[in-house]
Amino acid sequence: MPKLDCADRWEAYFRLCELDIDCRCRSHQPLEVAMTTPQAMIQTWSVLNRLTLTRVELAQWLDHCWTL
């Protein structure tokens, strides 16, 4: 799992909660996510990519998706 700073970790936590993905975020601890379904895994991957990849990397990924 990629390293997240404190603000990004909380942003990921709140977004995952909005998606009804069971997770826990305690102060000065890693984000814990229960990925029990393939859908939860993909949504978690997407949330983390949005927070950890650069804008250029995200644009390249989107471009790649459009070519498929």
Side-chain angles (χ1 to χ4, degrees):
M1 182 181 253
K3 294 280 185 179
L4 297 174
D5 65 29
C6 185
D8 286 342
R9 188 170 58 246
W10 282 105
E11 184 175 344
Y13 168 76
F14 287 118
R15 181 62 184 129
L16 292 171
C17 287
E18 290 174 346
L19 295 169
D20 290 327
I21 296 173
D22 188 28
C23 56
R24 180 174 18 180
C25 188
R26 293 180 276 172
S27 295
H28 308 293
Q29 297 294 318
L31 176 63
E32 297 176 23
V33 182
M35 294 179 276
T36 56
T37 66
Q39 181 181 3
M41 289 180 192
I42 292 168
Q43 289 176 318
T44 301
W45 174 82
S46 179
V47 168
L48 294 177
N49 273 347
R50 187 175 56 83
L51 294 171
T52 59
L53 296 179
T54 66
R55 185 177 176 93
V56 170
E57 291 169 323
L58 290 170
Q60 289 171 340
W61 176 254
L62 181 60
D63 187 51
H64 174 73
C65 290
W66 278 105
T67 60
L68 296 176

